[in-house]
Amino acid sequence: ARLVVLVSGSGTNLQALLDEIDSVGAERYGARVVAVGADRAGVAGLERAERAGLPTFTCQVKDHPTRADWDRALAEATAAHRPDLVVSAGFMKIVGPEFLARFGGRLVNTHPALLPSFPGAHGVRDALAYGVKVTGCTVHFVDDGVDTGPIIAQGVVEVREEDDESALHERIKEVERRLLVDVVGRLARDGYRIEGRKVRVPA
Ligand code: GRF
């Protein structure tokens, strides 16, 4: 399968995918990253892609007259790489109707909380502030809501007394990277079906 990965920041989830594919080989893993896109220039995620010799693209909201134009441009830049699966790995923009029309059903996102708890851009901070004893991460298909699509897999992370947001987020990301690598590989190799809110991936 051809993967396009969308990033906004450090790209450690992208790096985990690249490292896994390097170590097991694209054939056995069932997928390879063909391009990396970002919503802004100069992020570490793009540098990781360039180091891996991958094509990159940036699609900045401020460069487009309307949000819909940005959404269309992002869809076109992504489509140019003929992805079978699009992976939003720390991509911090909400894609719009055009992007969903083209990639809905094969667009997965990773979120650093146990959805439906703590959706949105500050899931780690919100969970910590709430005082939960466990939190974690969720890999899900993207639908037209914010972090509301059908859940594929989740991982649990204990919250520690001494945690601050960054310590907890780092611990979540250790689980998240492994979850994402596992899920993307299974979706690519084994296929899947989305039935309402349920995702069926052959065992
Ligand atoms: C990840 O925890 C992702 O779930 C959240 O932001 C983080 C991105 O990390 N949206 P990275 O850019 O993959 O290192």
Side-chain angles (χ1 to χ4, degrees), residues 7-15 45 48 88-92 109-113 120-121 124 137-138 169-170 172-173 176-177:
V7 300
S8 291
S10 56
T12 61
N13 279 291
L14 163 68
Q15 193 63 57
R48 293 177 190 277
S88 161
F91 187 65
M92 298 304 276
N109 180 50
T110 176
H111 181 76
V124 179
C137 47
T138 302
H169 200 167
E170 272 319 302
I172 291 170
K173 284 172 81 169
E176 183 179 33
R177 290 192 276 270

Side-chain angles (χ1 to χ4, degrees), residues 73-155:
L74 184 72
E76 283 163 3
T78 301
H81 297 283
R82 294 178 288 110
D84 299 299
L85 207 56
V86 182
V87 180
S88 161
F91 187 65
M92 298 304 276
K93 290 285 185 305
I94 305 300
V95 294
E98 176 81 23
F99 198 93
L100 284 174
R102 291 171 80 143
F103 301 108
R106 52 200 182 107
L107 168 59
V108 301
N109 180 50
T110 176
H111 181 76
L114 292 175
L115 295 174
S117 298
F118 313 117
H122 305 291
V124 179
R125 183 193 310 171
D126 297 342
L128 200 57
Y130 193 94
V132 297
K133 298 304 178 184
V134 293
T135 184
C137 47
T138 302
V139 179
H140 64 96
F141 281 105
V142 175
D143 65 6
D144 56 2
V146 177
D147 298 326
T148 52
I151 291 171
I152 307 168
Q154 295 188 296

Side-chain angles (χ1 to χ4, degrees), residues 39-77:
D39 60 327
R40 71 193 94 163
V43 296
L46 288 175
E47 288 161 27
R48 293 177 190 277
E50 283 148 18
R51 269 203 299 279
L54 293 173
T56 62
F57 57 89
T58 57
C59 208
Q60 304 191 107
V61 171
K62 65 178 169 52
D63 295 341
H64 297 273
T66 69
R67 181 79 183 204
D69 289 328
W70 170 81
D71 183 43
R72 183 172 310 105
L74 184 72
E76 283 163 3

